[in-house]
Amino acid sequence: RSYEYIETSEPRPGVGQVTLNRPKALNALCTPLITELNQALLEYQKSDSVSVVVLTGSQKAFAAGADIKEMQPLTFAEAYTNSFIESWSDLTTQIKKPIIAAVSGHALGGGCELAMMCDIIYCTETANFGQPEIKLGTVPGAGGSQRLTRAIGKSKAMELILTGKFFSGADAEKWGLAARTFSTYEELMENTLKTAETIAGYSRVAVQAGKEVVNKSQDLPLRDGVEYERRVFHSLFGSQDQKIGMKAFAEKQKAEWTHK
Ligand code: HXC
């Protein structure tokens, strides 16, 4: 399938990649781009050949935010009755396969929020993150105030959201928002694909369960989360791959997953 604002590829076994491709606007996230992104992600979700998704932009920009020119004329009534921005959440509600964000350059406003909706963030040391909505007379609208605060704590998140100050990829890693940083764009992409391939090499049932239980920690109190995890852990004794994985360990063999 061909898209206008994104490109898709399968660069490694089991790995699907979506590359945001609206270079003239630094990958500003207009509604048609988000619609295409949702379509591509849903196809990967259904695909038998893809286990893990990589979401990236260009070296210069992951995404410079929601499209300010599209938002400028919106009225409250239009935004409210059309649930403006709600479809962005499809990424978090529909996709059960892991998504790794590879962030280079600008990840601002909605771009930062999009990266934070992903399951893992890798970035360059010089990546430029921020929630600068305050400078436009507004606030984050795609989960930024919630996800940034959970990731780096209230005081830092409050400072960043109220000042609109940018922060580097190096800071993002130091504060725990990003999992790893790299000094060049090439290293970023190479290592992102390597991690994606590693995850794609495991049982898809276990990987989906792993994503599910970690994400539950963001929604549930500790006791409920631990109980939820234990239930999922119990349920995996019903999978073929749990038998295969433990038998392979005991027999010093390599596990051949059935994804069942
Ligand atoms: C629409 C954008 C854009 C955006 C950049 N462009 N960001 N268009 N929406 N968010 C366009 C510019 O208008 C310009 O188009 C072209 O991309 C290149 O941008 P320049 O500003 O010329 O580039 P540069 O000088 O390198 O500056 C880069 C930048 C700056 C620092 C990233 O573009 C910038 O500050 N952008 C806005 C960042 C921002 O405020 N993002 C948050 C948006 S609010 P022309 O046609 O002039 O060449 C938001 C709300 C989210 O995301 C809430 C819910 C999702």
Side-chain angles (χ1 to χ4, degrees), residues 40-55:
L41 292 175
L42 272 175
E43 276 185 26
Y44 284 146
Q45 177 59 36
K46 285 186 255 157
S47 163
D48 283 335
S49 61
V50 167
S51 292
V52 178
V53 179
V54 168
L55 175 60

Side-chain angles (χ1 to χ4, degrees), residues 4 20 37 51 72 81 94 98 117 121 125 169 191 206 238:
E4 187 178 352
L20 306 178
L37 174 64
S51 292
Q72 186 196 344
T81 57
Q94 315 268 346
M117 286 180 208
I121 299 178
E125 284 157 16
N191 283 283

